[in-house]
Amino acid sequence: MLTILPQLAIVIADLAAAFLFLFGLKRMSSPVTAPSGIAYAGIGMIVAVAASFLYALSVETEAEPYLLVNAALAVAALAVGGGLAWRSGKKAGLTAMPQMVALLNGAGGGAAAAIAAIVLLGGITDTAVLVVTLAGALIGSISFSGSLIAWGKLDRLIKHPLRFKGQQIVNGLAFLATLAVGGYIGFITLSSNVPMLAMPLLIAIFFGLSLLFGILMTLPIGGADMPVVISVYNAFTGLAVGLEGYSLQNPALMIAGMVVGAAGLMLTLLMAKAMNRSVSKILFTNFGATKAHKQSKIEGELKPAAAGDAGIFMRYAKEVIIVPGYGLAAAQGQQKLYELVKLLQAADVTVKFAIHPVAGRMPGQMDVLLAEAGVPYDLIFQLEDINPEFETAAVALVIGANDVVNPAARTDKSSPIWGMPILDADKAKQVYVIKRGEGKGYAGIVNALFYKDNCNMVYGDAADVLTQMIEAVRGLGKAAA
Amino acid sequence: MDISIAGLAALYIFLLAGFAGWVIIGHVPAILHTPLMSGSNFVHGIVVVGGIYALLNATSLTEQAIGTLAVALGAANAMGGYVVTARMLAMFQTTAPAKPARKHKKKG
């Protein structure tokens, strides 16, 4: 009787948390209500975590002698894990958000896998619980090790995608081996046969293989596909958490995990659609390998332009559409960009931003970058809304973007990006492309846009080029006065 | 006495929660995709609750070690997800003059 009251309190707290999560996510559908949305979700989290300590009142008899130590460990782990994440979350630059999200994803997946390990070590008798726990363990582990690799790639610790011959076969075998060990664990548990190896060892092997598979699966994926990968692992972690929620008979985990799993899946599909490629192709084929690829002949030549001249040209244009890409993020040029935009606006130039769904290294990264610089979000337009406007725009300014404005996607059937929806920057009367050098984009394709008659290249670091443009436009203002 | 979920009810929970997630996220504009992602990242930080449960019921050194790891990772997930999301959302502004210009956050 003494144990039912705390359990009831936990159930109510979890229910409240589940509601607050859903309500909070719902409020995230508009920039105006979004800040309060995350606050509601935060309250839900605090309620659930606080209530979870009531489990201490109803632990199993065998665990009672350990309770004090366990509770102290829990508090310490909360403080250390939370504290470290709080610090790095505050410190991380906005351009480092993709890495940060990848890392946090991995942490969640790792936590789900660790819970699965404890449940498995404790022994399971129910078939459904066993299958679900093993599935959660597998998915959580893949998300953990895969996210760490993704983080390494985004943080440039791992510079190139690792690919070798027969990679898909090796990965496939690793996956089958993982399933086989998992199946064997299930078979032994349910048939209560004596295993060939000690159970804890088998479980360790299972986790080792799952983690290995996560690494193998992520290593060959190229940098341009990182938005999709992060999104997939977000969904994976959510799914793993939901499954472990079932193992622990905790509906809050089940609901929150599944909501995130579905949300992650939807985002993944949106990303894949924006690249006109299927999710399985991104994950399981080696895209972006710089194979000797036959390309349609490109005519024309690269025409460099001075930053100052380009700036002055824009000052006297009627409408300028800016296409930001990863190069802007890498150069940390967003503040300078908005400074230039404000100068242009002061000179009665209409300025709009065009964002490609997969610009940057995670979905929506450019939006966040511009928001950081203080760009109002009603100046920012998505692909389908802005594309018809390029034809009437005087200038398209492409900053550190490449593949998302490559007209080959429309014209060249042999191109790897054929069919991908792109921003029609080439249709503007004049195109300026700010670029570090003459290199190719992440997809390794030459961009026909750069060779078109109406396109000029402005070489240099985005932040430096923008500074020169600002100076040129300012100089004009002084001369006029 | 334990409060447990009968097998089928669990399936219904998964089904409805998945559907709810799909519908709610379907309405989020592309501009908010990054905060949304880190926001849902924060939400799966609820795994910390499962970690606490497992750790409190731990009876061996191995279980204690793994449980502590689970709680630490889960706490990092939840806390980091919250901080990062809140920071990003605080930056979104509009040109609409109705609202007073929000104080510009200091750069991190």
Side-chain angles (χ1 to χ4, degrees):
Chain A
M1 199 55 210
L2 247 176
T3 60
I4 190 78
L5 277 179
Q7 283 204 25
L8 209 64
I10 292 170
V11 167
I12 292 167
D14 283 357
L15 199 65
F19 170 76
L20 286 167
F21 287 158
L22 287 171
F23 185 64
L25 281 178
K26 175 89 190 95
R27 285 185 75 84
M28 284 186 72
S29 55
S30 147
V32 181
T33 56
S36 69
I38 187 70
Y40 280 116
I43 294 170
M45 189 68 78
I46 291 171
V47 168
V49 171
S52 69
F53 275 92
L54 290 174
Y55 284 127
L57 297 175
S58 57
V59 291
E60 285 149 32
T61 350
E62 312 92 80
E64 266 166 20
Y66 300 90
L67 191 56
L68 217 60
V69 179
N70 287 348
L73 280 174
V75 173
L78 274 180
V80 172
L84 283 177
W86 189 78
R87 249 179 57 112
S88 45
K90 284 268 179 206
K91 261 182 27 194
L94 261 286
T95 36
M97 280 305 133
Q99 290 94 301
M100 197 65 201
V101 171
L103 210 54
L104 296 172
N105 247 337
I115 291 171
I118 294 181
V119 176
L120 285 170
L121 285 171
I124 303 172
T125 45
D126 185 88
T127 319
V129 174
L130 181 71
V131 172
V132 168
T133 308
L134 281 171
L138 174 66
I139 298 170
S141 303
I142 292 175
S143 184
F144 176 67
S145 59
S147 292
L148 286 183
I149 297 294
W151 169 75
K153 287 183 178 228
L154 290 163
D155 221 38
R156 308 233 146 206
L157 295 174
I158 305 169
K159 298 239 167 62
H160 301 286
L162 182 89
R163 297 171 178 138
F164 52 87
K165 248 190 157 176
Q167 191 159 28
Q168 274 151 303
I169 298 167
V170 172
N171 290 4
L173 286 177
F175 186 63
L176 284 181
T178 316
L179 286 188
V181 177
Y184 186 61
I185 292 175
F187 173 72
I188 291 166
T189 314
L190 298 177
S191 64
S192 51
N193 281 350
V194 182
M196 286 187 293
L197 297 166
M199 199 54 161
L201 187 60
L202 270 178
I203 292 172
I205 293 175
F206 176 69
F207 276 99
L209 282 171
S210 304
L211 292 170
L212 180 71
F213 178 70
I215 295 172
L216 287 174
M217 180 177 145
T218 321
L219 275 177
I221 302 175
D225 287 333
M226 276 303 137
V228 184
V229 173
I230 298 181
S231 201
V232 165
Y233 286 143
N234 200 29
F236 270 24
T237 299
L239 197 61
V241 170
L243 293 175
E244 294 318 317
Y246 177 76
S247 307
L248 297 178
Q249 299 284 305
N250 184 321
L253 260 69
M254 292 169 67
I255 293 173
M258 268 306 152
V259 166
V260 176
L265 179 66
M266 166 154 242
L267 264 184
T268 308
L269 294 176
L270 279 176
M271 292 302 108
K273 203 177 135 207
M275 301 166 89
N276 193 36
R277 298 169 51 214
S278 72
V279 176
S280 65
K281 260 199 182 143
I282 292 166
L283 293 181
F284 302 120
T285 60
N286 299 342
F287 178 69
T290 34
K291 288 177 226 142
H293 169 73
K294 254 197 255 160
Q295 243 167 354
S296 312
K297 215 166 166 186
I298 293 170
E299 283 170 21
E301 53 186 311
L302 294 169
K303 298 166 287 299
D309 296 347
I312 291 167
F313 190 89
M314 285 190 284
R315 157 72 178 74
Y316 291 105
K318 204 158 164 287
E319 185 180 3
V320 175
I321 300 178
I322 300 174
V323 181
Y326 185 70
L328 178 69
Q332 293 276 10
Q334 62 271 31
Q335 310 278 356
K336 288 276 173 237
L337 176 61
Y338 190 41
E339 223 180 303
L340 175 69
V341 168
K342 279 190 280 196
L343 279 176
L344 293 176
Q345 283 174 326
D348 280 332
V349 181
T350 310
V351 183
K352 288 177 179 173
F353 291 88
I355 310 270
H356 192 276
V358 291
R361 292 291 175 269
M362 79 184 286
Q365 190 189 3
M366 287 304 132
D367 300 294
V368 174
L369 208 64
L370 295 178
E372 187 202 15
V375 177
Y377 57 76
D378 39 12
L379 293 186
I380 300 174
F381 295 86
Q382 306 300 324
L383 186 130
E384 57 270 30
D385 301 323
I386 193 85
N387 251 352
E389 286 198 37
F390 278 106
E391 282 181 40
T392 53
V395 180
L397 176 64
V398 179
I399 308 175
N402 191 343
D403 299 327
V404 297
V405 290
N406 191 341
R410 279 197 317 255
T411 56
D412 182 4
K413 271 201 178 165
S414 67
S415 171
I417 59 166
W418 159 252
M420 169 171 136
I422 58 154
L423 289 163
D424 297 331
D426 56 317
K427 292 188 179 161
K429 282 186 205 73
Q430 169 67 41
V431 184
Y432 287 112
V433 178
I434 302 181
K435 218 168 159 298
R436 227 170 227 292
E438 294 187 5
K440 296 166 183 172
Y442 239 116
I445 318 156
V446 179
N447 196 334
L449 165 68
F450 302 165
Y451 295 86
K452 285 191 72 170
D453 290 338
N454 62 343
C455 178
N456 288 89
M457 308 295 292
V458 186
Y459 291 118
D461 174 82
D464 296 342
V465 170
L466 287 165
T467 309
Q468 290 169 34
M469 287 180 169
I470 291 167
E471 280 164 7
V473 175
R474 281 235 174 89
L476 279 182
K478 280 198 194 100
Chain B
M1 167 178 166
D2 281 313
I3 298 174
S4 69
I5 313 152
L8 265 184
L11 273 181
Y12 281 104
I13 291 179
F14 279 147
L15 177 83
L16 292 173
F19 194 69
W22 186 272
V23 171
I24 290 172
I25 301 313
H27 288 131
V28 175
I31 184 171
L32 284 174
H33 276 170
T34 296
L36 169 73
M37 220 162 151
S38 69
S40 59
N41 197 320
F42 161 72
V43 166
H44 64 53
I46 186 74
V47 70
V48 68
V49 167
I52 292 173
Y53 173 81
L55 178 54
L56 288 178
N57 282 296
T59 52
S60 70
L61 202 61
T62 322
E63 287 184 354
Q64 283 176 324
I66 303 176
T68 308
L69 182 71
V71 176
L73 285 175
N77 182 175
M79 183 59 98
Y82 186 86
V83 171
V84 163
T85 311
R87 256 183 73 196
M88 279 192 279
L89 288 177
M91 289 169 190
F92 283 89
Q93 322 189 343
T94 162
T95 41
K99 269 174 82 180
R102 219 178 296 146
K103 212 170 61 205
H104 208 75
K105 271 191 89 170
K106 67 173 196 292
K107 277 183 278 167

